[in-house]
Amino acid sequence: MAADCIFCKIVEGEIPADVVAESEHTLAFRDINPKAPVHVLVIPKVHHGDAAALASAEPAIAAELLAQTRAIATQEGHEDYNLVFNTGAGAGQTVFHAHVHLLAGVDVSRLFLA
Ligand code: 5GP
Ligand code: ZN
């Protein structure tokens, strides 16, 4: 656990969260400020600063996290969804514990890639 990391505190149960799924090495909970009808954050329980650091250090957990996203989307009633990994402050990352935004119910790809 990293000191003063909000997401580590959620993993430890020190800060409450609306948990929707858990696997051996990951936790998924609803974003406190949702930007889509379904907006879930999927995080590794272990602390890494961003998804790239996680993938380098613990690729099996990165793969587990990615697999969890589909399972959670299905659980939330969506076949189609977007994944967003904000990486670095300049790209909008505000919490420096690896996480992926799982967004469903709105096609955010049109905002960026159309
Ligand atoms: P980032 O901007 O780092 O990619 O995403 C961080 C996300 O974490 C934001 O969408 C923000 O709303 C969410 N967030 C920040 N603090 C908390 C919290 O205490 N609980 C929950 N559930 N989400 C949080
Ligand atoms: Zn952390």
Side-chain angles (χ1 to χ4, degrees):
M1 169 165 174
D4 293 329
C5 172
I6 294 171
F7 288 177
C8 281
K9 288 179 179 167
I10 287 176
V11 170
E12 295 298 320
E14 292 174 22
I15 293 177
D18 186 357
V19 172
V20 298
E22 184 172 7
S23 67
E24 184 177 0
H25 298 106
T26 75
L27 187 69
F29 51 90
R30 295 192 196 285
D31 196 294
I32 204 167
N33 183 21
K35 297 288 197 281
V38 173
H39 187 170
V40 170
L41 301 170
V42 191
I43 73 169
K45 292 177 180 174
V46 64
H47 182 90
H48 289 284
D50 62 38
L54 171 67
S56 295
E58 311 208 51
I61 297 181
E64 182 179 325
L65 184 144
L66 205 50
Q68 279 296 100
T69 59
R70 175 173 287 284
I72 295 161
T74 301
Q75 178 180 301
E76 294 287 323
H78 289 271
E79 187 176 344
D80 304 325
Y81 54 90
N82 297 97
L83 300 178
V84 178
F85 294 89
N86 295 329
T87 305
Q93 187 177 3
T94 59
V95 177
F96 292 86
H97 178 128
H99 57 277
V100 61
H101 297 257
L102 165 58
L103 301 152
V106 59
D107 181 1
V108 299
S109 73
R110 295 303 129 220
L111 300 177
F112 308 118
L113 303 174

